[in-house]
């Protein structure tokens, strides 16, 4: 019988802590799996007997039978930690073998996912997000991704010298790059910057004036939207993620067609969860910026308790289906 709810997350992850507590308060016994426990403190076994596929994941606390997993929340898996005594080439071999074995588990499970890892990876690509959103009828900013300084200069001039620079990916933890690189307005003072465009692809977008910014969270078949009053402070004008600046946040009701397009964008990627950033312009037009297929939602619910995302997420995992 499929009864287990599995949450794959790092050891210290606030969203997971909150949801585990809530599920337990409802009488459920969700399982937290920390992938960094593999292979030193956890193991995997898969058995094909010629007809049936079965197996288990073994941790220090319990054995998780694969055929009993009803739903999985793929929250924040940690990197595998292998023995420090192994030579570097053997460490790489162990990680690759372990990764293939566990992917064999994940890719073979017949259960509900929030969300399936390959779908999360595909949906993380920003250029494809913009293309998909535009095809669904959402307005997206004029965008240029280039390594040509002349093209960057021409785009700057075509957008009335009002553009922003954004990274294509978020820097990984423990890298030499700052963890957060904010959306940066480009002005005439940055003209020498365009020469650096030759070193790597750079993403530029037209700057779009904002009335408010919107965080749209899709959970199953439900949409939860918060409006972020970023224009009330100069430091959050271009990027509201300056968390040290107090910013007013409240509930927002999307037009039905915009909400449906956000759901369709999520479903088109095979996701059951996503967080998207949109702009509401002073003229009342909605503009899509980007999607995070595994984004944070707890800070929104804490700021706007009436957006009951924890309950919606738990309901999907309990049912093993979208609500």
């Amino acid at each position: 019988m499929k009864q287990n709810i599995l949450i794959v997350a790092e050891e210290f992850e606030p969203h997971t802590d909150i949801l585990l507590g809530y599920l337990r308060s409802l009488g459920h016994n969700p399982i937290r799996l920390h992938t960094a426990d593999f292979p030193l403190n956890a193991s995997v076994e898969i058995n094909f007997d010629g007809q049936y596929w079965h197996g288990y994941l073994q941790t220090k606390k319990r054995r998780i039978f694969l055929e009993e997993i009803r739903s999985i929340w793929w929250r924040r898996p940690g990197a595998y930690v292998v023995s420090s005594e192994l030579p570097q080439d053997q460490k790489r071999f162990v990680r690759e073998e372990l990764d293939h074995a566990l992917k064999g588990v994940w890719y073979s499970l017949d259960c509900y996912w929030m969300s399936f890892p390959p779908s999360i990876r595909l949906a993380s690509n920003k250029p494809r997000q913009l293309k998909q959103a535009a095809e669904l009828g959402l307005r997206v900013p004029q965008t240029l991704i280039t390594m040509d300084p002349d093209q960057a200069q021409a785009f700057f001039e075509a957008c009335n010298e009002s553009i922003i620079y954004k990274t294509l990916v978020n820097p990984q933890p423990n890298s030499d790059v700052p963890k957060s690189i904010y959306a940066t307005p480009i002005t005439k003072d940055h003209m020498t910057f365009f020469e650096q465009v030759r070193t790597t692809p750079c993403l530029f977008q037209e700057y779009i004036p904002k009335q408010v910014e919107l965080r749209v969270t899709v959970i199953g078949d439900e949409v939860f939207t918060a409006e972020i009053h970023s224009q009330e402070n100069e430091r959050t004008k271009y990027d509201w993620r300056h968390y040290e600046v107090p910013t007013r946040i409240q509930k927002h009701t999307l037009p039905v067609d915009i909400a449906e397009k956000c759901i369709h964008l999520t479903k088109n990627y095979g996701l059951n969860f996503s967080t998207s950033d949109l702009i509401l312009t002073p003229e009342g037009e909605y503009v899509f910026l980007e999607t995070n297929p595994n984004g944070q939602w707890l800070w929104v619910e804490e700021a706007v308790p009436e957006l009951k995302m924890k309950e919606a997420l738990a309901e999907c995992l309990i049912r093993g289906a979208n609500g």
Side-chain angles (χ1 to χ4, degrees):
M1 177 181 177
K2 293 188 176 184
Q3 58 185 356
N4 287 330
I5 298 171
L6 184 65
I7 301 178
V8 182
E10 296 172 331
E11 188 173 3
F12 303 104
E13 204 289 306
H15 294 74
T16 302
D17 298 338
I18 291 293
L19 194 68
L20 283 170
Y22 180 68
L23 287 167
R24 287 167 182 156
S25 74
L26 297 177
H28 297 276
N29 187 27
I31 303 167
R32 183 180 197 149
L33 182 68
H34 185 27
T35 48
D37 286 341
F38 291 92
L40 299 181
N41 296 302
S43 62
V44 56
E45 180 162 317
I46 308 171
N47 193 316
F48 295 94
D49 62 9
Q51 184 176 5
Y52 298 105
W53 179 94
H54 56 92
Y56 59 82
L57 303 171
Q58 182 70 53
T59 70
K60 283 188 173 181
K61 294 182 178 180
R62 65 186 301 166
R63 178 168 291 184
I64 307 163
F65 290 98
L66 304 181
E67 57 269 27
E68 295 179 359
I69 297 175
R70 175 190 302 169
S71 55
I72 299 178
W73 183 26
W74 191 262
R75 175 55 196 156
R76 282 285 188 272
Y80 310 127
V81 178
V82 303
S83 173
S84 59
E85 298 178 0
L86 292 175
Q88 196 61 38
D89 58 339
Q90 291 185 25
K91 287 181 181 179
R92 183 169 56 252
F93 174 78
V94 169
R95 289 193 184 99
E96 289 176 351
E97 291 292 290
L98 177 59
D99 190 53
H100 277 268
L102 287 175
K103 282 179 178 175
V105 170
W106 309 134
Y107 296 176
S108 301
L109 283 173
D110 180 19
C111 69
Y112 175 82
W113 282 91
M114 188 169 282
S115 292
F116 194 44
S119 299
I120 292 174
R121 282 194 293 275
L122 180 62
S124 298
N125 186 276
K126 289 183 182 179
R128 194 173 192 275
Q129 291 174 12
L130 294 170
K131 180 176 182 291
Q132 292 278 305
E135 289 175 350
L136 286 169
L138 289 166
R139 179 188 165 187
V140 301
Q142 294 184 64
T143 302
L144 174 70
I145 300 170
T146 186
M147 296 178 67
D148 186 334
D150 292 336
Q151 290 297 321
Q153 176 73 39
F155 184 72
F156 175 71
E157 294 170 358
C159 293
N160 299 315
E161 300 183 350
S162 183
I163 65 174
I164 60 170
Y165 164 77
K166 298 168 64 175
T167 58
L168 284 161
V169 296
N170 294 321
Q172 295 298 310
N174 304 319
S175 72
D176 294 331
V177 181
K179 192 170 183 180
S180 292
I181 298 180
Y182 300 115
T184 304
I186 302 299
T187 68
K188 287 184 176 180
D189 295 335
H190 296 93
M191 290 302 95
T192 56
F193 164 79
F194 285 135
E195 284 303 313
Q196 300 177 37
V197 169
R198 299 182 191 277
T199 61
T200 189
C202 295
L203 188 156
F204 300 100
Q205 289 183 326
E206 63 172 319
Y207 173 71
I208 297 178
K210 310 165 185 176
Q211 179 185 148
V212 293
E213 297 189 64
L214 303 171
R215 170 55 72 97
V216 180
T217 304
V218 174
I219 300 176
D221 297 323
E222 297 185 76
V223 177
F224 303 85
T225 307
E227 59 182 47
I228 304 166
H229 292 259
S230 59
Q231 304 308 285
E232 296 177 349
N233 190 300
E234 190 64 27
R235 293 187 64 188
T236 55
K237 179 179 179 180
Y238 294 100
D239 195 322
W240 56 262
R241 293 175 300 166
H242 288 273
Y243 300 112
E244 73 279 6
V245 179
T247 304
R248 184 161 59 96
I249 304 173
Q250 62 190 56
K251 183 179 178 180
H252 182 89
T253 301
L254 286 175
V256 173
D257 67 315
I258 299 296
E260 288 178 346
K261 288 171 182 175
C262 290
I263 292 175
H264 289 157
L265 179 63
T266 304
K267 300 304 179 188
N268 284 355
Y269 278 112
L271 302 170
N272 290 313
F273 174 95
S274 71
T275 60
S276 295
D277 293 328
L278 280 72
I279 287 172
L280 178 61
T281 70
E283 295 75 31
E285 186 175 11
Y286 290 84
V287 182
F288 172 87
L289 296 181
E290 62 182 68
T291 285
N292 185 333
N294 207 6
Q296 300 185 46
W297 50 266
L298 184 58
W299 64 273
V300 178
E301 185 171 282
E302 289 175 343
V304 190
E306 60 192 294
L307 296 177
K308 298 186 180 299
M309 291 178 279
K310 173 177 78 262
E311 289 83 350
L313 201 155
E315 180 63 23
C316 290
L317 294 174
I318 292 168
R319 294 178 57 191
N322 288 339

